[in-house]
Amino acid sequence: MDKSTGTRPPLVTRKMMIRFVGGLFTIAALLLGYQWYRGLGGDIDLPFSVDTVGMIAAVQEVEDGNQVVLIDPQGKLVPSPGYKAPASDRDPVWRPDGNRIFFSSDREDNTYNIFRWNPGSQTVTRRTFGSRAKTTIEFPSPMVPNANDFALITSGGFVLQLDPTDGSTPQVLPPVGRERSATSEGGVGSQFDALYEHFGSSVRRARWAGNGRDWIVAVMRNDLGEVLILQNLGGEQLQPPFAVIAGERVEFDVNPKTGEVVYVAIGFQFPDRENIPEQFIENGRIKKPFQHMVGVIDPNDLKNAQPPIAASNTDDLAFTLPRVSPDGSTLMLVTGKHTGSGQVESADLVVMPARGEGGKTATAVIKGAIQDPSWAPDSDRILFVMTDQGKRAIHEIRRDGTGLRNITGQLGDFGHPQYSPQVKK
């Protein structure tokens, strides 16, 4: 109503005003939507949430290649879309929230790049590009804030940080100055500095440690084997890498609750060959404290070393494939005979407390040629691969050795099984 005249505005005018206000709301909504779209880097990946409780991601041998697949709780096999032989999919990992699977593949351009599989829409999207192979995807512990939003990958012997949304891959290890950490492959091509050359020539695998983004643990290759290093990226001044241990082969896992690094040295070596403690030199020769060992170290407390979890002075007992349970309490290992060159002939799957001297109370779960063990999210069940009736089948067993079952039967040959991290609410 017009207060000056006491009359209402004409009906046509009121309709125009309503349309005008409605138009303003529409424009505002479009602007907000555009800003949201830009924030996603143009990457619309719906549905956001997918129920993957009880699903297993794995790699299946198919024709002349390997394909990432899903196995649902009823045992149904779901192949990843877009695969064409003889491509080779590898390194499947669940995003910490269990809504996506990431893997490396040469299914496009004959070069390994990172792909993302959305089980809800059954779409596979390529997330990285370039001619240099990109492999070994590692997300941080779910304890780390925004753990779904970044991962580490290796490329050309360097460690890159992957943004799964926009596909950018700046180099993080060896550390580089900001002017060299571009999202293109130019940063990747920079040379190792003297500190890293002292330990090795390339990085085989890396993960965040310490339950944050300050520490990275990595395995570096050299002429004699491998070295495990810790690099602190936090603080105003960059610190040199810390060498933990060396061996013919070194493997590790990160405790998802404490951030501690649990590691295995197969064919023990001193990490710094030029500075071996005098007590380990006898008559001019190096005397090793043990042949093979399992250890644990806290990146945030390097000065207070824990005693070894387990150690062996004979090649009849070596350790491999360390896996810490999701609740952080238990370490799973495969044990067997060291056959040389850092290789272990699998004989037993064992579990023990994930702490110093935990091996004193180790218990056997199952005997056999166990491959690719991994924990279920309940920290009780264990997945692994074992040959059964001529097929490399995925099996499940409880940590106490009961409940053994063959999940895939005669469906094919599989590797690297991993349960979705989602649990029933």
Side-chain angles (χ1 to χ4, degrees):
M1 179 178 291
D2 189 332
K3 293 182 179 180
S4 62
T5 62
T7 61
R8 294 181 177 273
L11 182 59
V12 174
T13 303
R14 279 187 285 158
K15 287 183 177 180
M16 291 179 64
M17 291 174 62
I18 292 171
R19 290 175 181 174
F20 176 72
V21 173
L24 289 178
F25 278 110
T26 301
I27 293 172
L30 289 172
L31 288 173
L32 288 173
Y34 175 69
Q35 292 299 324
W36 172 79
Y37 179 79
R38 288 187 62 188
L40 292 177
D43 178 35
I44 303 298
D45 182 34
L46 299 174
F48 291 126
S49 297
V50 184
D51 181 3
T52 62
V53 174
M55 291 186 179
I56 298 170
V59 175
Q60 182 183 20
E61 184 177 320
V62 291
E63 299 180 36
D64 296 325
N66 296 283
Q67 183 178 11
V68 169
V69 298
L70 271 176
I71 302 159
D72 72 12
Q74 288 73 45
K76 178 183 177 182
L77 192 68
V78 182
S80 58
Y83 175 85
K84 293 182 180 179
S88 181
D89 296 346
R90 54 185 291 187
D91 307 327
V93 297
W94 290 93
R95 204 170 67 183
D97 63 7
N99 287 314
R100 303 290 184 272
I101 300 166
F102 283 75
F103 60 94
S104 177
S105 179
D106 61 352
R107 54 171 66 188
E108 293 183 17
D109 300 336
N110 296 317
T111 300
Y112 282 100
N113 271 285
I114 308 302
F115 291 78
R116 180 188 62 208
W117 182 7
N118 184 336
S121 62
Q122 282 301 305
T123 56
V124 170
T125 308
R126 182 172 172 178
R127 303 314 304 142
T128 65
F129 296 85
S131 58
R132 185 173 282 112
K134 300 174 181 64
T135 59
T136 55
I137 313 110
E138 299 279 3
F139 281 92
S141 162
M143 301 288 289
V144 177
N146 304 315
N148 298 318
D149 298 338
F150 50 91
L152 294 179
I153 61 175
T154 56
S155 180
F158 299 83
V159 180
L160 318 180
Q161 179 174 301
L162 168 68
D163 183 324
T165 301
D166 62 22
S168 61
T169 54
Q171 180 178 322
V172 293
L173 205 68
V176 294
R178 291 184 178 180
E179 69 279 2
R180 293 164 59 195
S181 59
T183 57
S184 67
E185 293 189 66
V188 181
S190 59
Q191 295 295 316
F192 279 128
D193 57 29
L195 290 173
Y196 277 82
E197 289 177 347
H198 182 72
F199 295 117
S201 57
S202 65
V203 176
R204 176 171 64 83
R205 182 184 173 220
R207 286 187 65 181
W208 275 283
N211 273 348
R213 298 179 67 178
D214 288 344
W215 288 96
I216 290 180
V217 56
V219 173
M220 295 194 68
R221 296 188 178 103
N222 58 41
D223 293 338
L224 297 179
E226 298 180 331
V227 179
L228 186 73
I229 65 166
L230 281 163
Q231 175 67 64
N232 189 348
L233 299 177
E236 296 181 359
Q237 186 172 359
L238 189 66
Q239 300 296 315
F242 176 84
V244 179
I245 202 165
E248 293 179 17
R249 183 174 175 85
V250 177
E251 298 171 349
F252 72 89
D253 197 15
V254 176
N255 190 313
K257 294 297 183 182
T258 67
E260 295 173 319
V261 178
V262 176
Y263 57 87
V264 164
I266 307 167
F268 171 84
Q269 299 171 2
F270 289 96
D272 190 346
R273 298 186 295 272
E274 298 177 3
N275 295 286
I276 298 174
E278 292 184 2
Q279 65 265 35
F280 297 111
I281 299 178
E282 189 175 283
N283 298 325
R285 301 184 65 178
I286 299 173
K287 183 180 180 180
K288 296 181 179 181
F290 28 68
Q291 284 293 105
H292 317 286
M293 65 90 66
V294 187
V296 57
I297 189 168
D298 184 349
N300 295 308
D301 191 14
L302 296 178
K303 293 182 180 180
N304 295 317
Q306 295 188 42
I309 295 176
S312 168
N313 282 310
T314 171
D315 281 340
D316 290 334
L317 177 61
F319 315 94
T320 187
L321 302 176
R323 303 288 186 267
V324 182
S325 60
D327 65 8
S329 68
T330 307
L331 172 64
M332 170 172 57
L333 290 166
V334 170
T335 64
K337 184 178 181 180
H338 178 224
T339 58
S341 302
Q343 301 302 307
V344 177
E345 186 178 89
S346 172
D348 295 275
L349 181 68
V350 300
V351 293
M352 61 194 71
R355 61 174 185 270
E357 301 184 328
K360 291 182 177 180
T361 56
T363 58
V365 179
I366 186 172
K367 292 183 177 295
I370 307 301
Q371 302 174 22
D372 303 334
S374 66
W375 288 97
D378 60 9
S379 297
D380 181 45
R381 294 167 296 141
I382 296 168
L383 288 178
F384 62 92
V385 172
M386 185 170 62
T387 300
D388 186 3
Q389 299 183 46
K391 296 294 184 181
R392 295 194 305 277
I394 298 174
H395 292 70
E396 182 187 75
I397 194 170
R398 300 179 75 90
R399 59 189 286 174
D400 63 3
T402 63
L404 176 65
R405 68 185 183 104
N406 186 328
I407 294 175
T408 56
Q410 296 296 299
L411 288 177
D413 295 304
F414 297 87
H416 305 285
Q418 294 183 32
Y419 264 118
S420 165
Q422 290 185 4
V423 295
K424 292 182 179 179
K425 296 181 180 180

